[in-house]
Amino acid sequence: MTSPPTGQPATGQGPGLAATVGLYALARLALVAVVTVLMLLAGTPFLIAVLVGLIVALPLSMVLFRGLRSRLDSALAESRSRRSAERSALRARLRGEGVAADSGELAQRQPDPGEH
């Protein structure tokens, strides 16, 4: 059984890592745009409005997007644990501690020690 590629949700789970990261990035950019537009309506020059929008959006996003950040954290943790399990399974197979079916294939591919 193989797991879906990174970023794609497994059956019965929420959105994958790539979708969650994209949604969070889009929300942060939208917040910067809203702050920038508000500053422009107040008569601030464009460059200053963008810079203030970038600076103000960081702490605001920490408060406003708390739920989205927790979803992102859980998606990252899930991805990290899945990759760790895959890595340890690969290391076990490389050490020859695989399933019996794998050892049969391995025995067919390895030459006898007496052959050169």
Side-chain angles (χ1 to χ4, degrees):
M1 184 171 139
T2 60
S3 61
T6 303
Q8 293 183 358
T11 307
Q13 294 180 353
L17 180 61
T20 307
V21 168
L23 184 61
Y24 185 69
L26 187 63
R28 295 270 316 260
L29 286 173
L31 185 60
V32 170
V34 166
V35 172
T36 301
V37 167
L38 290 175
M39 295 290 295
L40 287 173
L41 291 175
T44 308
F46 179 73
L47 185 59
I48 302 293
V50 170
L51 292 175
V52 169
L54 286 170
I55 293 170
V56 170
L58 178 64
L60 271 179
S61 68
M62 297 287 184
V63 174
L64 295 177
F65 305 136
R66 185 171 295 158
L68 194 54
R69 275 192 22 250
S70 67
R71 251 176 55 188
L72 180 62
D73 289 342
S74 65
L76 284 169
E78 179 184 330
S79 174
R80 189 177 310 123
S81 67
R82 186 180 66 245
R83 290 185 63 200
S84 175
E86 290 173 357
R87 189 178 310 119
S88 63
L90 176 63
R91 285 180 180 158
R93 283 189 312 199
L94 289 173
R95 284 191 306 262
E97 300 172 359
V99 184
D102 289 342
S103 63
E105 286 181 23
L106 187 61
Q108 290 176 359
R109 284 187 261 154
Q110 289 180 344
D112 291 334
E115 288 184 36
H116 289 296

